[in-house]
Structures are given as C-alpha cells and as structure tokens.
C-alpha cells in the first residue's frame, strides 16, 4: 500500500486477520537492507496470524529494491548516516499503521499464542 513521507512515495505492506476483535494491537515491521521483500511480507503475515495488525514500513521508497547485498550496502549506509531521514521514514510507517481502522492503540495481545510469542 502506498503512503508518503514528505514528497517521497513509499510502499509498505499491511497484514491482519479479519477474524477476532475488530481492532487489534499493532506491530511496525522494518525491513532489512534489501527493502520490503517476500520475507518481510511473510513476517508481517505471521504477526497477523498471531492477532496483530502488522505494517511493514518502506524505508527506501516505492520501487527502490536492491537486487543484492552489493547494492544494498551503500543504500542502507546512506540511512545509517542520515538518522533524521531514517527516523522520519519509520515515523511515517508508524503513522500509516495508526491510520488503519483495524489498529488498537493500547492493550494486550488478543490471544495466548501471541502472548507466548512475545519476548
């Protein structure tokens, strides 16, 4: 799903299970250095099955997906150097999660499975 941080279009991934309570606690998922990948989406879907609304935030921007570690290194490094931009992208992801009608601001996980999985 598309959302923005400033003028930059980002493309995150939202996962939730329609069963159970209408509003669920949320988890913000931040991708590894390869960006939002199939693995990132899989993790969000796992969290959704545990009773959360999971939003995988996009730090890099829509369509910016390194094909290898060689490409990812400099890109990820640019965000390590610019912590303000990294923070702004994470906050934009959280804000998008908070806009979801299925998200609940506070409360404990809706199931024993989710509780057991928490550290």
């Amino acid at each position: 799903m598309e959302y923005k941080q400033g003028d930059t279009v980002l493309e995150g991934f939202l996962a939730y299970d329609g069963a159970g309570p209408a509003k669920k606690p949320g988890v913000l998922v931040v991708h590894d250095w390869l960006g939002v990948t199939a693995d990132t989406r899989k993790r969000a879907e796992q969290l959704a099955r545990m009773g959360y609304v999971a939003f995988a935030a996009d730090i890099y921007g829509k369509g910016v997906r390194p094909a290898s570690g060689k490409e990812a290194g400099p890109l990820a490094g640019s965000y390590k150097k610019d912590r303000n931009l990294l923070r702004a992208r994470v906050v934009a992801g959280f804000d998008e999660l908070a806009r979801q009608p299925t998200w609940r601001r506070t409360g404990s996980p809706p199931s024993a499975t989710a509780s057991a999985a928490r550290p």
Side-chain angles (χ1 to χ4, degrees):
M1 68 184 314
E2 289 186 8
Y3 64 108
K4 286 183 136 185
Q5 182 271 311
D7 292 332
T8 303
V9 177
L10 305 166
E11 188 173 29
F13 179 77
L14 181 70
Y16 64 93
D17 186 344
K23 292 190 175 268
K24 301 165 180 22
V27 176
L28 183 66
V29 178
V30 178
H31 59 75
D32 63 17
W33 69 340
L34 291 176
V36 178
T37 63
D39 187 56
T40 310
R41 292 186 292 275
K42 178 182 170 185
R43 299 292 172 226
E45 289 168 345
Q46 287 174 332
L47 288 161
R49 285 191 299 274
M50 293 169 60
Y52 294 94
V53 175
F55 184 70
D58 178 13
I59 302 302
Y60 295 155
K62 183 177 179 181
V64 180
R65 302 293 180 259
S68 67
K70 187 174 182 177
E71 288 180 21
L75 183 59
S78 68
Y79 287 89
K80 184 175 181 182
K81 290 176 187 169
D82 189 346
R83 295 293 180 144
N84 289 330
L85 179 56
L86 175 60
R87 186 176 302 110
R89 298 286 170 89
V90 171
V91 168
F94 177 77
D95 289 345
E96 187 61 29
L97 171 62
R99 280 191 279 278
Q100 301 310 308
T102 54
W103 178 70
R104 182 179 72 213
R105 178 177 286 279
T106 60
S108 60
S111 70
T113 304
S115 296
R118 288 179 34 199

